[in-house]
PDB file of all heavy atoms in Angstrom:
ATOM      1  N   SER T   1       0.848  -1.180   0.000  1.00 92.00           N
ATOM      2  CA  SER T   1       0.000   0.000   0.000  1.00 92.00           C
ATOM      3  C   SER T   1       0.890   1.238   0.000  1.00 92.00           C
ATOM      4  O   SER T   1       2.075   1.176   0.353  1.00 92.00           O
ATOM      5  CB  SER T   1      -0.911   0.006   1.234  1.00 92.00           C
ATOM      6  OG  SER T   1      -1.719  -1.146   1.262  1.00 92.00           O
ATOM      7  N   GLU T   2       0.339   2.363  -0.414  1.00 91.00           N
ATOM      8  CA  GLU T   2       1.114   3.603  -0.414  1.00 91.00           C
ATOM      9  C   GLU T   2       1.609   3.889   1.002  1.00 91.00           C
ATOM     10  O   GLU T   2       0.830   3.907   1.961  1.00 91.00           O
ATOM     11  CB  GLU T   2       0.267   4.756  -0.935  1.00 91.00           C
ATOM     12  CG  GLU T   2      -0.034   4.642  -2.417  1.00 91.00           C
ATOM     13  CD  GLU T   2      -0.910   5.769  -2.938  1.00 91.00           C
ATOM     14  OE1 GLU T   2      -1.789   6.224  -2.171  1.00 91.00           O
ATOM     15  OE2 GLU T   2      -0.736   6.175  -4.090  1.00 91.00           O
ATOM     16  N   GLY T   3       2.908   4.062   1.115  1.00 91.00           N
ATOM     17  CA  GLY T   3       3.522   4.264   2.414  1.00 91.00           C
ATOM     18  C   GLY T   3       4.000   2.979   3.057  1.00 91.00           C
ATOM     19  O   GLY T   3       4.708   3.025   4.069  1.00 91.00           O
ATOM     20  N   GLY T   4       3.650   1.829   2.497  1.00 92.00           N
ATOM     21  CA  GLY T   4       4.054   0.544   3.056  1.00 92.00           C
ATOM     22  C   GLY T   4       5.414   0.111   2.552  1.00 92.00           C
ATOM     23  O   GLY T   4       5.922   0.600   1.531  1.00 92.00           O
ATOM     24  N   SER T   5       6.047  -0.818   3.258  1.00 93.00           N
ATOM     25  CA  SER T   5       7.372  -1.302   2.882  1.00 93.00           C
ATOM     26  C   SER T   5       7.446  -2.800   3.152  1.00 93.00           C
ATOM     27  O   SER T   5       6.631  -3.372   3.878  1.00 93.00           O
ATOM     28  CB  SER T   5       8.463  -0.571   3.665  1.00 93.00           C
ATOM     29  OG  SER T   5       8.307  -0.786   5.057  1.00 93.00           O
ATOM     30  N   ALA T   6       8.453  -3.447   2.565  1.00 93.00           N
ATOM     31  CA  ALA T   6       8.639  -4.884   2.732  1.00 93.00           C
ATOM     32  C   ALA T   6      10.106  -5.221   2.554  1.00 93.00           C
ATOM     33  O   ALA T   6      10.808  -4.607   1.739  1.00 93.00           O
ATOM     34  CB  ALA T   6       7.788  -5.663   1.735  1.00 93.00           C
ATOM     35  N   SER T   7      10.568  -6.206   3.308  1.00 93.00           N
ATOM     36  CA  SER T   7      11.934  -6.722   3.171  1.00 93.00           C
ATOM     37  C   SER T   7      11.920  -8.210   2.834  1.00 93.00           C
ATOM     38  O   SER T   7      12.959  -8.856   2.859  1.00 93.00           O
ATOM     39  CB  SER T   7      12.719  -6.500   4.463  1.00 93.00           C
ATOM     40  OG  SER T   7      12.084  -7.157   5.552  1.00 93.00           O
ATOM     41  N   VAL T   8      10.734  -8.750   2.539  1.00 93.00           N
ATOM     42  CA  VAL T   8      10.599 -10.153   2.154  1.00 93.00           C
ATOM     43  C   VAL T   8       9.571 -10.249   1.027  1.00 93.00           C
ATOM     44  O   VAL T   8       8.752  -9.347   0.832  1.00 93.00           O
ATOM     45  CB  VAL T   8      10.147 -11.053   3.326  1.00 93.00           C
ATOM     46  CG1 VAL T   8      11.158 -11.026   4.458  1.00 93.00           C
ATOM     47  CG2 VAL T   8       8.768 -10.640   3.823  1.00 93.00           C
ATOM     48  N   VAL T   9       9.643 -11.346   0.305  1.00 93.00           N
ATOM     49  CA  VAL T   9       8.601 -11.687  -0.666  1.00 93.00           C
ATOM     50  C   VAL T   9       8.190 -13.127  -0.391  1.00 93.00           C
ATOM     51  O   VAL T   9       8.915 -13.889   0.264  1.00 93.00           O
ATOM     52  CB  VAL T   9       9.069 -11.532  -2.125  1.00 93.00           C
ATOM     53  CG1 VAL T   9       9.349 -10.090  -2.454  1.00 93.00           C
ATOM     54  CG2 VAL T   9      10.300 -12.395  -2.397  1.00 93.00           C
ATOM     55  N   PHE T  10       7.048 -13.489  -0.903  1.00 90.00           N
ATOM     56  CA  PHE T  10       6.507 -14.833  -0.669  1.00 90.00           C
ATOM     57  C   PHE T  10       6.577 -15.637  -1.966  1.00 90.00           C
ATOM     58  O   PHE T  10       6.185 -15.154  -3.034  1.00 90.00           O
ATOM     59  CB  PHE T  10       5.069 -14.744  -0.167  1.00 90.00           C
ATOM     60  CG  PHE T  10       4.947 -14.109   1.193  1.00 90.00           C
ATOM     61  CD1 PHE T  10       4.783 -12.737   1.318  1.00 90.00           C
ATOM     62  CD2 PHE T  10       5.023 -14.884   2.336  1.00 90.00           C
ATOM     63  CE1 PHE T  10       4.685 -12.145   2.569  1.00 90.00           C
ATOM     64  CE2 PHE T  10       4.921 -14.301   3.591  1.00 90.00           C
ATOM     65  CZ  PHE T  10       4.760 -12.929   3.712  1.00 90.00           C
ATOM     66  N   LEU T  11       7.084 -16.855  -1.835  1.00 88.00           N
ATOM     67  CA  LEU T  11       7.202 -17.759  -2.975  1.00 88.00           C
ATOM     68  C   LEU T  11       6.201 -18.892  -2.809  1.00 88.00           C
ATOM     69  O   LEU T  11       6.226 -19.602  -1.794  1.00 88.00           O
ATOM     70  CB  LEU T  11       8.617 -18.347  -3.060  1.00 88.00           C
ATOM     71  CG  LEU T  11       9.804 -17.390  -2.900  1.00 88.00           C
ATOM     72  CD1 LEU T  11      11.113 -18.155  -3.059  1.00 88.00           C
ATOM     73  CD2 LEU T  11       9.722 -16.256  -3.905  1.00 88.00           C
ATOM     74  N   ASN T  12       5.299 -19.039  -3.782  1.00 83.00           N
ATOM     75  CA  ASN T  12       4.356 -20.149  -3.735  1.00 83.00           C
ATOM     76  C   ASN T  12       5.111 -21.470  -3.854  1.00 83.00           C
ATOM     77  O   ASN T  12       6.006 -21.618  -4.694  1.00 83.00           O
ATOM     78  CB  ASN T  12       3.330 -20.028  -4.865  1.00 83.00           C
ATOM     79  CG  ASN T  12       2.341 -18.910  -4.614  1.00 83.00           C
ATOM     80  OD1 ASN T  12       1.989 -18.630  -3.473  1.00 83.00           O
ATOM     81  ND2 ASN T  12       1.893 -18.254  -5.671  1.00 83.00           N
ATOM     82  N   ALA T  13       4.736 -22.427  -3.023  1.00 82.00           N
ATOM     83  CA  ALA T  13       5.393 -23.740  -3.032  1.00 82.00           C
ATOM     84  C   ALA T  13       4.346 -24.812  -2.785  1.00 82.00           C
ATOM     85  O   ALA T  13       4.210 -25.334  -1.680  1.00 82.00           O
ATOM     86  CB  ALA T  13       6.487 -23.801  -1.973  1.00 82.00           C
ATOM     87  N   GLY T  14       3.589 -25.122  -3.822  1.00 76.00           N
ATOM     88  CA  GLY T  14       2.576 -26.161  -3.710  1.00 76.00           C
ATOM     89  C   GLY T  14       1.481 -25.778  -2.739  1.00 76.00           C
ATOM     90  O   GLY T  14       0.817 -24.755  -2.884  1.00 76.00           O
ATOM     91  N   GLN T  15       1.309 -26.578  -1.699  1.00 79.00           N
ATOM     92  CA  GLN T  15       0.266 -26.321  -0.715  1.00 79.00           C
ATOM     93  C   GLN T  15       0.655 -25.224   0.270  1.00 79.00           C
ATOM     94  O   GLN T  15      -0.166 -24.817   1.093  1.00 79.00           O
ATOM     95  CB  GLN T  15      -0.036 -27.615   0.065  1.00 79.00           C
ATOM     96  CG  GLN T  15      -0.446 -28.791  -0.800  1.00 79.00           C
ATOM     97  CD  GLN T  15      -1.888 -28.685  -1.289  1.00 79.00           C
ATOM     98  OE1 GLN T  15      -2.556 -27.682  -1.061  1.00 79.00           O
ATOM     99  NE2 GLN T  15      -2.366 -29.716  -1.960  1.00 79.00           N
ATOM    100  N   GLY T  16       1.894 -24.756   0.223  1.00 85.00           N
ATOM    101  CA  GLY T  16       2.351 -23.752   1.172  1.00 85.00           C
ATOM    102  C   GLY T  16       3.138 -22.650   0.482  1.00 85.00           C
ATOM    103  O   GLY T  16       2.931 -22.339  -0.687  1.00 85.00           O
ATOM    104  N   TYR T  17       4.089 -22.097   1.234  1.00 89.00           N
ATOM    105  CA  TYR T  17       4.874 -20.978   0.712  1.00 89.00           C
ATOM    106  C   TYR T  17       6.187 -20.883   1.478  1.00 89.00           C
ATOM    107  O   TYR T  17       6.341 -21.405   2.587  1.00 89.00           O
ATOM    108  CB  TYR T  17       4.096 -19.675   0.847  1.00 89.00           C
ATOM    109  CG  TYR T  17       3.703 -19.324   2.270  1.00 89.00           C
ATOM    110  CD1 TYR T  17       4.534 -18.573   3.091  1.00 89.00           C
ATOM    111  CD2 TYR T  17       2.490 -19.776   2.802  1.00 89.00           C
ATOM    112  CE1 TYR T  17       4.178 -18.281   4.397  1.00 89.00           C
ATOM    113  CE2 TYR T  17       2.127 -19.484   4.111  1.00 89.00           C
ATOM    114  CZ  TYR T  17       2.970 -18.738   4.897  1.00 89.00           C
ATOM    115  OH  TYR T  17       2.626 -18.449   6.192  1.00 89.00           O
ATOM    116  N   PHE T  18       7.166 -20.209   0.848  1.00 91.00           N
ATOM    117  CA  PHE T  18       8.418 -19.850   1.492  1.00 91.00           C
ATOM    118  C   PHE T  18       8.489 -18.341   1.626  1.00 91.00           C
ATOM    119  O   PHE T  18       7.911 -17.599   0.817  1.00 91.00           O
ATOM    120  CB  PHE T  18       9.623 -20.341   0.678  1.00 91.00           C
ATOM    121  CG  PHE T  18       9.846 -21.826   0.732  1.00 91.00           C
ATOM    122  CD1 PHE T  18       9.480 -22.634  -0.340  1.00 91.00           C
ATOM    123  CD2 PHE T  18      10.416 -22.411   1.843  1.00 91.00           C
ATOM    124  CE1 PHE T  18       9.685 -23.997  -0.301  1.00 91.00           C
ATOM    125  CE2 PHE T  18      10.620 -23.778   1.901  1.00 91.00           C
ATOM    126  CZ  PHE T  18      10.258 -24.573   0.829  1.00 91.00           C
ATOM    127  N   VAL T  19       9.214 -17.897   2.637  1.00 92.00           N
ATOM    128  CA  VAL T  19       9.485 -16.471   2.810  1.00 92.00           C
ATOM    129  C   VAL T  19      10.911 -16.215   2.345  1.00 92.00           C
ATOM    130  O   VAL T  19      11.863 -16.768   2.913  1.00 92.00           O
ATOM    131  CB  VAL T  19       9.299 -16.033   4.277  1.00 92.00           C
ATOM    132  CG1 VAL T  19       9.732 -14.586   4.453  1.00 92.00           C
ATOM    133  CG2 VAL T  19       7.847 -16.195   4.682  1.00 92.00           C
ATOM    134  N   GLN T  20      11.041 -15.401   1.317  1.00 92.00           N
ATOM    135  CA  GLN T  20      12.352 -15.079   0.761  1.00 92.00           C
ATOM    136  C   GLN T  20      12.829 -13.739   1.312  1.00 92.00           C
ATOM    137  O   GLN T  20      12.204 -12.704   1.096  1.00 92.00           O
ATOM    138  CB  GLN T  20      12.276 -15.023  -0.775  1.00 92.00           C
ATOM    139  CG  GLN T  20      13.532 -14.507  -1.441  1.00 92.00           C
ATOM    140  CD  GLN T  20      14.712 -15.427  -1.235  1.00 92.00           C
ATOM    141  OE1 GLN T  20      14.659 -16.595  -1.590  1.00 92.00           O
ATOM    142  NE2 GLN T  20      15.787 -14.905  -0.660  1.00 92.00           N
ATOM    143  N   GLU T  21      13.943 -13.769   2.041  1.00 93.00           N
ATOM    144  CA  GLU T  21      14.523 -12.535   2.558  1.00 93.00           C
ATOM    145  C   GLU T  21      15.129 -11.724   1.409  1.00 93.00           C
ATOM    146  O   GLU T  21      15.719 -12.285   0.485  1.00 93.00           O
ATOM    147  CB  GLU T  21      15.613 -12.858   3.584  1.00 93.00           C
ATOM    148  CG  GLU T  21      15.145 -13.723   4.748  1.00 93.00           C
ATOM    149  CD  GLU T  21      14.385 -12.925   5.783  1.00 93.00           C
ATOM    150  OE1 GLU T  21      14.302 -11.695   5.643  1.00 93.00           O
ATOM    151  OE2 GLU T  21      13.869 -13.545   6.741  1.00 93.00           O
ATOM    152  N   LEU T  22      14.971 -10.409   1.485  1.00 94.00           N
ATOM    153  CA  LEU T  22      15.559  -9.516   0.494  1.00 94.00           C
ATOM    154  C   LEU T  22      16.783  -8.827   1.084  1.00 94.00           C
ATOM    155  O   LEU T  22      16.852  -8.606   2.300  1.00 94.00           O
ATOM    156  CB  LEU T  22      14.541  -8.463   0.049  1.00 94.00           C
ATOM    157  CG  LEU T  22      13.275  -8.975  -0.636  1.00 94.00           C
ATOM    158  CD1 LEU T  22      12.326  -7.815  -0.921  1.00 94.00           C
ATOM    159  CD2 LEU T  22      13.618  -9.696  -1.933  1.00 94.00           C
ATOM    160  N   PRO T  23      17.748  -8.448   0.246  1.00 93.00           N
ATOM    161  CA  PRO T  23      18.929  -7.734   0.754  1.00 93.00           C
ATOM    162  C   PRO T  23      18.689  -6.235   0.945  1.00 93.00           C
ATOM    163  O   PRO T  23      19.631  -5.482   1.151  1.00 93.00           O
ATOM    164  CB  PRO T  23      19.980  -7.992  -0.336  1.00 93.00           C
ATOM    165  CG  PRO T  23      19.186  -8.157  -1.578  1.00 93.00           C
ATOM    166  CD  PRO T  23      17.893  -8.816  -1.169  1.00 93.00           C
ATOM    167  N   PHE T  24      17.423  -5.802   0.873  1.00 95.00           N
ATOM    168  CA  PHE T  24      17.083  -4.388   1.006  1.00 95.00           C
ATOM    169  C   PHE T  24      15.643  -4.266   1.470  1.00 95.00           C
ATOM    170  O   PHE T  24      14.917  -5.259   1.577  1.00 95.00           O
ATOM    171  CB  PHE T  24      17.286  -3.657  -0.326  1.00 95.00           C
ATOM    172  CG  PHE T  24      16.611  -4.326  -1.494  1.00 95.00           C
ATOM    173  CD1 PHE T  24      15.240  -4.200  -1.714  1.00 95.00           C
ATOM    174  CD2 PHE T  24      17.339  -5.118  -2.373  1.00 95.00           C
ATOM    175  CE1 PHE T  24      14.614  -4.825  -2.769  1.00 95.00           C
ATOM    176  CE2 PHE T  24      16.720  -5.753  -3.445  1.00 95.00           C
ATOM    177  CZ  PHE T  24      15.360  -5.608  -3.638  1.00 95.00           C
ATOM    178  N   VAL T  25      15.215  -3.049   1.728  1.00 95.00           N
ATOM    179  CA  VAL T  25      13.826  -2.753   2.085  1.00 95.00           C
ATOM    180  C   VAL T  25      13.218  -1.929   0.953  1.00 95.00           C
ATOM    181  O   VAL T  25      13.777  -0.901   0.553  1.00 95.00           O
ATOM    182  CB  VAL T  25      13.738  -1.976   3.414  1.00 95.00           C
ATOM    183  CG1 VAL T  25      12.284  -1.616   3.722  1.00 95.00           C
ATOM    184  CG2 VAL T  25      14.328  -2.787   4.553  1.00 95.00           C
ATOM    185  N   LEU T  26      12.098  -2.385   0.441  1.00 96.00           N
ATOM    186  CA  LEU T  26      11.401  -1.700  -0.645  1.00 96.00           C
ATOM    187  C   LEU T  26      10.195  -0.959  -0.078  1.00 96.00           C
ATOM    188  O   LEU T  26       9.364  -1.563   0.609  1.00 96.00           O
ATOM    189  CB  LEU T  26      10.950  -2.707  -1.706  1.00 96.00           C
ATOM    190  CG  LEU T  26      10.151  -2.151  -2.890  1.00 96.00           C
ATOM    191  CD1 LEU T  26      11.021  -1.227  -3.735  1.00 96.00           C
ATOM    192  CD2 LEU T  26       9.592  -3.286  -3.744  1.00 96.00           C
ATOM    193  N   LYS T  27      10.091   0.343  -0.361  1.00 96.00           N
ATOM    194  CA  LYS T  27       8.982   1.160   0.142  1.00 96.00           C
ATOM    195  C   LYS T  27       8.275   1.834  -1.028  1.00 96.00           C
ATOM    196  O   LYS T  27       8.916   2.396  -1.919  1.00 96.00           O
ATOM    197  CB  LYS T  27       9.494   2.229   1.106  1.00 96.00           C
ATOM    198  CG  LYS T  27       8.387   3.113   1.674  1.00 96.00           C
ATOM    199  CD  LYS T  27       8.927   4.135   2.654  1.00 96.00           C
ATOM    200  CE  LYS T  27       7.806   5.025   3.209  1.00 96.00           C
ATOM    201  NZ  LYS T  27       8.316   6.026   4.175  1.00 96.00           N
ATOM    202  N   LEU T  28       6.940   1.753  -1.026  1.00 95.00           N
ATOM    203  CA  LEU T  28       6.128   2.410  -2.051  1.00 95.00           C
ATOM    204  C   LEU T  28       5.742   3.806  -1.567  1.00 95.00           C
ATOM    205  O   LEU T  28       5.043   3.948  -0.566  1.00 95.00           O
ATOM    206  CB  LEU T  28       4.865   1.594  -2.344  1.00 95.00           C
ATOM    207  CG  LEU T  28       3.862   2.234  -3.313  1.00 95.00           C
ATOM    208  CD1 LEU T  28       4.479   2.404  -4.697  1.00 95.00           C
ATOM    209  CD2 LEU T  28       2.584   1.398  -3.396  1.00 95.00           C
ATOM    210  N   LYS T  29       6.224   4.824  -2.278  1.00 94.00           N
ATOM    211  CA  LYS T  29       5.878   6.197  -1.926  1.00 94.00           C
ATOM    212  C   LYS T  29       4.533   6.606  -2.531  1.00 94.00           C
ATOM    213  O   LYS T  29       3.649   7.101  -1.833  1.00 94.00           O
ATOM    214  CB  LYS T  29       6.960   7.160  -2.429  1.00 94.00           C
ATOM    215  CG  LYS T  29       8.294   7.038  -1.725  1.00 94.00           C
ATOM    216  CD  LYS T  29       9.194   8.207  -2.063  1.00 94.00           C
ATOM    217  CE  LYS T  29       9.497   8.257  -3.558  1.00 94.00           C
ATOM    218  NZ  LYS T  29      10.439   9.341  -3.885  1.00 94.00           N
ATOM    219  N   LYS T  30       4.381   6.379  -3.827  1.00 93.00           N
ATOM    220  CA  LYS T  30       3.172   6.830  -4.520  1.00 93.00           C
ATOM    221  C   LYS T  30       2.923   5.936  -5.715  1.00 93.00           C
ATOM    222  O   LYS T  30       3.860   5.516  -6.403  1.00 93.00           O
ATOM    223  CB  LYS T  30       3.342   8.288  -4.985  1.00 93.00           C
ATOM    224  CG  LYS T  30       2.103   8.914  -5.587  1.00 93.00           C
ATOM    225  CD  LYS T  30       1.045   9.210  -4.552  1.00 93.00           C
ATOM    226  CE  LYS T  30      -0.146   9.939  -5.153  1.00 93.00           C
ATOM    227  NZ  LYS T  30      -1.224  10.160  -4.156  1.00 93.00           N
ATOM    228  N   PHE T  31       1.649   5.632  -5.946  1.00 93.00           N
ATOM    229  CA  PHE T  31       1.265   4.861  -7.121  1.00 93.00           C
ATOM    230  C   PHE T  31       0.509   5.772  -8.075  1.00 93.00           C
ATOM    231  O   PHE T  31      -0.375   6.530  -7.667  1.00 93.00           O
ATOM    232  CB  PHE T  31       0.387   3.669  -6.734  1.00 93.00           C
ATOM    233  CG  PHE T  31      -0.058   2.844  -7.911  1.00 93.00           C
ATOM    234  CD1 PHE T  31       0.813   1.976  -8.534  1.00 93.00           C
ATOM    235  CD2 PHE T  31      -1.343   2.959  -8.415  1.00 93.00           C
ATOM    236  CE1 PHE T  31       0.420   1.227  -9.624  1.00 93.00           C
ATOM    237  CE2 PHE T  31      -1.749   2.219  -9.503  1.00 93.00           C
ATOM    238  CZ  PHE T  31      -0.866   1.344 -10.109  1.00 93.00           C
ATOM    239  N   HIS T  32       0.865   5.695  -9.352  1.00 91.00           N
ATOM    240  CA  HIS T  32       0.246   6.538 -10.378  1.00 91.00           C
ATOM    241  C   HIS T  32      -0.481   5.656 -11.387  1.00 91.00           C
ATOM    242  O   HIS T  32       0.023   4.591 -11.775  1.00 91.00           O
ATOM    243  CB  HIS T  32       1.301   7.365 -11.124  1.00 91.00           C
ATOM    244  CG  HIS T  32       2.199   8.152 -10.229  1.00 91.00           C
ATOM    245  ND1 HIS T  32       1.861   9.382  -9.703  1.00 91.00           N
ATOM    246  CD2 HIS T  32       3.444   7.875  -9.746  1.00 91.00           C
ATOM    247  CE1 HIS T  32       2.840   9.834  -8.950  1.00 91.00           C
ATOM    248  NE2 HIS T  32       3.817   8.938  -8.947  1.00 91.00           N
ATOM    249  N   ILE T  33      -1.636   6.128 -11.810  1.00 87.00           N
ATOM    250  CA  ILE T  33      -2.376   5.408 -12.846  1.00 87.00           C
ATOM    251  C   ILE T  33      -3.076   6.416 -13.747  1.00 87.00           C
ATOM    252  O   ILE T  33      -3.614   7.420 -13.281  1.00 87.00           O
ATOM    253  CB  ILE T  33      -3.399   4.414 -12.236  1.00 87.00           C
ATOM    254  CG1 ILE T  33      -4.089   3.610 -13.330  1.00 87.00           C
ATOM    255  CG2 ILE T  33      -4.403   5.117 -11.353  1.00 87.00           C
ATOM    256  CD1 ILE T  33      -4.901   2.439 -12.812  1.00 87.00           C
ATOM    257  N   GLU T  34      -3.012   6.153 -15.048  1.00 84.00           N
ATOM    258  CA  GLU T  34      -3.703   6.968 -16.040  1.00 84.00           C
ATOM    259  C   GLU T  34      -4.676   6.071 -16.801  1.00 84.00           C
ATOM    260  O   GLU T  34      -4.417   4.878 -16.986  1.00 84.00           O
ATOM    261  CB  GLU T  34      -2.715   7.614 -17.019  1.00 84.00           C
ATOM    262  CG  GLU T  34      -1.739   8.574 -16.353  1.00 84.00           C
ATOM    263  CD  GLU T  34      -0.747   9.171 -17.348  1.00 84.00           C
ATOM    264  OE1 GLU T  34      -0.937   8.943 -18.566  1.00 84.00           O
ATOM    265  OE2 GLU T  34       0.207   9.839 -16.914  1.00 84.00           O
ATOM    266  N   HIS T  35      -5.782   6.670 -17.233  1.00 77.00           N
ATOM    267  CA  HIS T  35      -6.822   5.897 -17.901  1.00 77.00           C
ATOM    268  C   HIS T  35      -7.146   6.499 -19.269  1.00 77.00           C
ATOM    269  O   HIS T  35      -6.977   7.704 -19.500  1.00 77.00           O
ATOM    270  CB  HIS T  35      -8.116   5.864 -17.066  1.00 77.00           C
ATOM    271  CG  HIS T  35      -7.964   5.157 -15.759  1.00 77.00           C
ATOM    272  ND1 HIS T  35      -7.486   5.774 -14.623  1.00 77.00           N
ATOM    273  CD2 HIS T  35      -8.234   3.863 -15.394  1.00 77.00           C
ATOM    274  CE1 HIS T  35      -7.465   4.915 -13.621  1.00 77.00           C
ATOM    275  NE2 HIS T  35      -7.916   3.753 -14.067  1.00 77.00           N
ATOM    276  N   TYR T  36      -7.599   5.629 -20.157  1.00 78.00           N
ATOM    277  CA  TYR T  36      -8.174   6.095 -21.413  1.00 78.00           C
ATOM    278  C   TYR T  36      -9.552   6.690 -21.139  1.00 78.00           C
ATOM    279  O   TYR T  36     -10.084   6.589 -20.022  1.00 78.00           O
ATOM    280  CB  TYR T  36      -8.292   4.943 -22.413  1.00 78.00           C
ATOM    281  CG  TYR T  36      -6.963   4.420 -22.911  1.00 78.00           C
ATOM    282  CD1 TYR T  36      -6.442   3.222 -22.416  1.00 78.00           C
ATOM    283  CD2 TYR T  36      -6.233   5.105 -23.870  1.00 78.00           C
ATOM    284  CE1 TYR T  36      -5.216   2.732 -22.867  1.00 78.00           C
ATOM    285  CE2 TYR T  36      -5.005   4.620 -24.330  1.00 78.00           C
ATOM    286  CZ  TYR T  36      -4.515   3.448 -23.826  1.00 78.00           C
ATOM    287  OH  TYR T  36      -3.314   2.969 -24.266  1.00 78.00           O
ATOM    288  N   SER T  37     -10.133   7.272 -22.154  1.00 70.00           N
ATOM    289  CA  SER T  37     -11.452   7.888 -21.988  1.00 70.00           C
ATOM    290  C   SER T  37     -12.516   6.854 -21.621  1.00 70.00           C
ATOM    291  O   SER T  37     -13.528   7.186 -21.000  1.00 70.00           O
ATOM    292  CB  SER T  37     -11.858   8.621 -23.277  1.00 70.00           C
ATOM    293  OG  SER T  37     -11.860   7.718 -24.381  1.00 70.00           O
ATOM    294  N   THR T  38     -12.276   5.598 -21.988  1.00 66.00           N
ATOM    295  CA  THR T  38     -13.228   4.536 -21.652  1.00 66.00           C
ATOM    296  C   THR T  38     -13.092   4.085 -20.204  1.00 66.00           C
ATOM    297  O   THR T  38     -13.922   3.339 -19.707  1.00 66.00           O
ATOM    298  CB  THR T  38     -13.014   3.322 -22.564  1.00 66.00           C
ATOM    299  OG1 THR T  38     -11.671   2.840 -22.391  1.00 66.00           O
ATOM    300  CG2 THR T  38     -13.230   3.694 -24.023  1.00 66.00           C
ATOM    301  N   GLY T  39     -12.017   4.514 -19.545  1.00 66.00           N
ATOM    302  CA  GLY T  39     -11.769   4.074 -18.186  1.00 66.00           C
ATOM    303  C   GLY T  39     -10.765   2.945 -18.086  1.00 66.00           C
ATOM    304  O   GLY T  39     -10.354   2.575 -16.993  1.00 66.00           O
ATOM    305  N   MET T  40     -10.339   2.385 -19.227  1.00 73.00           N
ATOM    306  CA  MET T  40      -9.346   1.314 -19.203  1.00 73.00           C
ATOM    307  C   MET T  40      -7.992   1.874 -18.796  1.00 73.00           C
ATOM    308  O   MET T  40      -7.641   2.998 -19.157  1.00 73.00           O
ATOM    309  CB  MET T  40      -9.241   0.663 -20.589  1.00 73.00           C
ATOM    310  CG  MET T  40     -10.500  -0.056 -21.026  1.00 73.00           C
ATOM    311  SD  MET T  40     -10.812  -1.548 -20.062  1.00 73.00           S
ATOM    312  CE  MET T  40      -9.566  -2.642 -20.731  1.00 73.00           C
ATOM    313  N   PRO T  41      -7.195   1.105 -18.028  1.00 79.00           N
ATOM    314  CA  PRO T  41      -5.874   1.591 -17.618  1.00 79.00           C
ATOM    315  C   PRO T  41      -4.980   1.852 -18.828  1.00 79.00           C
ATOM    316  O   PRO T  41      -4.886   1.031 -19.738  1.00 79.00           O
ATOM    317  CB  PRO T  41      -5.333   0.451 -16.755  1.00 79.00           C
ATOM    318  CG  PRO T  41      -6.529  -0.305 -16.310  1.00 79.00           C
ATOM    319  CD  PRO T  41      -7.523  -0.194 -17.424  1.00 79.00           C
ATOM    320  N   LYS T  42      -4.330   2.997 -18.817  1.00 82.00           N
ATOM    321  CA  LYS T  42      -3.420   3.390 -19.882  1.00 82.00           C
ATOM    322  C   LYS T  42      -1.976   3.239 -19.451  1.00 82.00           C
ATOM    323  O   LYS T  42      -1.130   2.778 -20.216  1.00 82.00           O
ATOM    324  CB  LYS T  42      -3.703   4.841 -20.276  1.00 82.00           C
ATOM    325  CG  LYS T  42      -2.799   5.403 -21.353  1.00 82.00           C
ATOM    326  CD  LYS T  42      -3.165   6.847 -21.640  1.00 82.00           C
ATOM    327  CE  LYS T  42      -2.288   7.450 -22.725  1.00 82.00           C
ATOM    328  NZ  LYS T  42      -2.621   8.879 -22.965  1.00 82.00           N
ATOM    329  N   LEU T  43      -1.676   3.637 -18.237  1.00 86.00           N
ATOM    330  CA  LEU T  43      -0.321   3.567 -17.713  1.00 86.00           C
ATOM    331  C   LEU T  43      -0.392   3.475 -16.203  1.00 86.00           C
ATOM    332  O   LEU T  43      -1.206   4.157 -15.571  1.00 86.00           O
ATOM    333  CB  LEU T  43       0.498   4.790 -18.144  1.00 86.00           C
ATOM    334  CG  LEU T  43       1.945   4.902 -17.629  1.00 86.00           C
ATOM    335  CD1 LEU T  43       2.830   5.552 -18.679  1.00 86.00           C
ATOM    336  CD2 LEU T  43       1.993   5.747 -16.334  1.00 86.00           C
ATOM    337  N   PHE T  44       0.428   2.627 -15.612  1.00 88.00           N
ATOM    338  CA  PHE T  44       0.540   2.638 -14.162  1.00 88.00           C
ATOM    339  C   PHE T  44       1.999   2.447 -13.773  1.00 88.00           C
ATOM    340  O   PHE T  44       2.747   1.702 -14.414  1.00 88.00           O
ATOM    341  CB  PHE T  44      -0.373   1.614 -13.480  1.00 88.00           C
ATOM    342  CG  PHE T  44      -0.323   0.222 -14.032  1.00 88.00           C
ATOM    343  CD1 PHE T  44       0.461  -0.740 -13.433  1.00 88.00           C
ATOM    344  CD2 PHE T  44      -1.101  -0.137 -15.131  1.00 88.00           C
ATOM    345  CE1 PHE T  44       0.479  -2.039 -13.908  1.00 88.00           C
ATOM    346  CE2 PHE T  44      -1.083  -1.435 -15.616  1.00 88.00           C
ATOM    347  CZ  PHE T  44      -0.287  -2.383 -15.000  1.00 88.00           C
ATOM    348  N   ALA T  45       2.398   3.187 -12.740  1.00 93.00           N
ATOM    349  CA  ALA T  45       3.792   3.206 -12.320  1.00 93.00           C
ATOM    350  C   ALA T  45       3.851   3.451 -10.821  1.00 93.00           C
ATOM    351  O   ALA T  45       2.894   3.950 -10.205  1.00 93.00           O
ATOM    352  CB  ALA T  45       4.565   4.280 -13.076  1.00 93.00           C
TER     353      ALA T  45
END
């Protein structure tokens, strides 16, 4: 979410999952999205 951060990702493994440690912390500052006139997504970053 905007303002959220993570230092792990989850890997699907059949009936369960693994937690993969990252060598850094990733934080989302802002999410941008643009739409066509129909409302369909045009660009997201």
